């Protein structure tokens, strides 16, 4: 999938380069790797994707990722001289400060990969590594649905559930960049086993796409994807309505706890399960407003993410840009 836009290179002045220069964003998912050149306004001038095939190992995977990055630059129409830095987003555990993939859960066998050093050797550009959900939060905050907020929480409800937190306008990362694991907020301490972390009753064990499909199968609906469960519930299937109702209740419970913790102005919800749109977000919003404490619960806006499938690449660019701005003071 390649969608070059043929946009012209930046014409801004050199003094603005640190803020407005182009960034190469790389995104390493469990099934797909993606690359794109992102301009100072968060637009992806190119976006190229191919299968991850993580079982071929890190050497093979990184060679293909770096080649994909070169392709993204070529297809963007931007001169390499105008690409100022590189951002990489990946699932954890990783060490953001050292730029090392420690042992990502979705990349079996990729251990202690010094990916930013390798990317800097490849591209000759300063490179930043971050957790993919943190990067997505940065993208939605800087360029997407969360623009203009100071306190924002991002949730991606997909195969699993990830999260990212912006406090006082800054990304919260934790000690090594693995903070903000909002999918592992407990919604039932004696509940279902979480595939992600092994504990009981995590939000992810109820409201992730995988868990919705599992609960649907257990309820007798057969093999259905989360969006199909939503459609069946909408069409009036009683069993699907129960499964979907539990999904909404679990998500609302988790989001209410998150809202009580951080008092964000906005919760941005992305990921494939939000394809159900207001059928998911409407009742979650209503329930969170009723459950969460005081002003935090009354005023919080709960909205759909804006960046779509490019969020990984745009988010990776956003974290690279954030650190460039930090370095610039
Ligand atoms: Zn968990």
């Amino acid at each position: 999938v390649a969608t070059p836009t043929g946009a012209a290179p930046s014409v801004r002045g050199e003094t603005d380069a640190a803020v407005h220069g182009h960034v190469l964003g790389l995104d390493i998912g469990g099934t797909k790797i993606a690359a794109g050149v992102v301009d100072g306004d968060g637009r992806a001038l190119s976006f190229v994707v191919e299968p991850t095939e993580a079982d071929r190992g890190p050497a093979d995977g990184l060679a293909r990722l770096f080649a994909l990055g070169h392709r993204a630059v070529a297809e963007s129409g931007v001169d390499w001289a105008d690409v100022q830095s590189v951002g990489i987003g990946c699932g954890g555990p990783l060490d953001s400060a050292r730029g090392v993939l420690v042992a990502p859960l979705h990349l079996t066998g990729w251990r202690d990969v010094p990916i930013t050093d390798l990317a800097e050797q490849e591209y000759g550009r300063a490179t930043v590594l971050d957790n993919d959900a943190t990067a997505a939060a940065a993208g939605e905050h800087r360029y997407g649905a969360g623009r203009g907020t100071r306190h924002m929480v991002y949730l991606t409800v997909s195969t699993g559930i990830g999260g990212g937190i912006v406090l006082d306008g800054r990304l919260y990362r934790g000690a090594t960049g693995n903070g903000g694991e909002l999918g592992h907020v407990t919604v039932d301490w004696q509940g279902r086993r979480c595939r992600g972390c092994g504990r009981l009753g995590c939000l992810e064990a109820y409201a992730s796409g995988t868990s919705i499909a599992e609960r649907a199968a257990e309820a007798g609906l057969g093999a259905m994807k989360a969006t199909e469960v939503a459609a069946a519930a909408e069409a009036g299937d009683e069993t699907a309505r129960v499964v979907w109702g539990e999904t909404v209740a679990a998500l609302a419970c988790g989001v209410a706890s998150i809202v009580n913790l951080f008092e964000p102005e906005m919760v941005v919800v992305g990921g494939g399960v939000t394809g159900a749109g207001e059928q998911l977000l409407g009742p979650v919003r209503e329930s969170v407003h009723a459950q969460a404490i005081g002003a935090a619960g009354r005023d919080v806006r709960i909205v759909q993410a804006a960046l779509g499938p490019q969020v990984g690449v745009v988010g990776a660019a956003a974290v690279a840009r954030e650190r460039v701005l930090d370095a610039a003071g």
Side-chain angles (χ1 to χ4, degrees), residues 10-312:
S10 170
V11 293
R12 294 175 205 267
E14 272 175 36
T15 50
D16 287 343
V19 179
H20 297 294
H22 296 92
V23 179
L24 173 60
L26 303 174
D27 180 34
I28 311 173
T31 55
K32 283 179 284 188
I33 53 176
V37 172
V38 179
D39 74 7
D41 297 319
R43 284 176 304 179
L45 304 181
S46 59
F47 183 62
V48 291
V49 177
E50 68 172 65
T52 307
E53 300 181 87
D55 53 353
R56 289 165 64 174
D60 178 273
L62 290 183
R64 286 182 294 112
L65 179 72
F66 293 160
L68 199 65
H70 283 292
R71 216 178 103 203
V73 173
E75 291 192 8
S76 70
V78 172
D79 195 282
W80 253 115
D82 295 324
V83 178
Q84 164 198 48
S85 59
V86 178
I88 304 173
C90 185
L94 52 77
D95 188 325
S96 173
R98 292 193 301 127
V100 174
L101 303 178
V102 177
L105 297 175
H106 64 304
L107 303 172
T108 308
W110 293 41
R111 297 188 73 87
D112 301 316
V113 178
I115 191 167
T116 57
D117 283 353
L118 295 169
E120 286 177 358
Q121 285 165 26
E122 175 72 24
Y123 297 123
R125 298 289 184 282
T127 301
V128 164
L129 172 69
D130 236 313
N131 179 284
D132 52 4
T134 304
E140 287 290 342
H141 181 247
R142 184 175 282 263
Y143 303 120
R147 262 182 303 181
T149 60
R150 274 188 78 70
H151 310 288
M152 186 205 91
V153 169
Y154 171 79
L155 270 182
T156 174
V157 186
S158 181
T159 315
I161 297 184
I165 302 159
V166 174
L167 299 175
D168 277 320
R170 315 282 298 185
L171 279 173
Y172 175 78
R173 290 191 171 81
T176 61
N178 298 293
E181 283 285 4
L182 301 178
H184 305 283
V185 165
T186 302
V187 297
D188 180 351
W189 63 282
Q190 296 175 311
R192 299 171 66 86
R193 178 79 60 189
C194 175
R195 286 174 179 273
C197 77
R199 294 171 73 225
L200 297 181
C202 292
L203 175 58
E204 177 169 303
Y206 292 86
S208 68
T210 312
S211 301
I212 295 168
E214 270 179 16
R215 288 188 297 102
E218 288 167 18
L221 287 169
M224 277 182 129
K225 287 190 280 191
T227 46
E228 293 168 340
V229 175
E234 185 81 340
D237 182 285
E238 198 46 48
T239 309
R241 287 171 65 97
V242 170
V243 173
W244 191 251
E246 192 175 44
T247 304
V248 165
L251 187 57
C253 176
V255 171
S257 291
I258 291 162
V259 166
N260 285 342
L261 275 174
F262 297 111
E263 199 191 354
E265 298 153 74
M266 183 183 285
V267 177
V268 177
V269 189
V273 176
T274 58
E278 283 299 301
Q279 191 191 349
L280 181 69
L281 292 186
V284 166
R285 187 182 296 121
E286 194 175 323
S287 181
V288 170
H289 285 166
Q291 287 181 48
I293 297 165
R298 241 187 357 260
D299 299 335
V300 64
R301 284 172 284 161
I302 298 173
V303 304
Q304 188 137 15
L307 297 179
Q310 297 180 344
V311 66

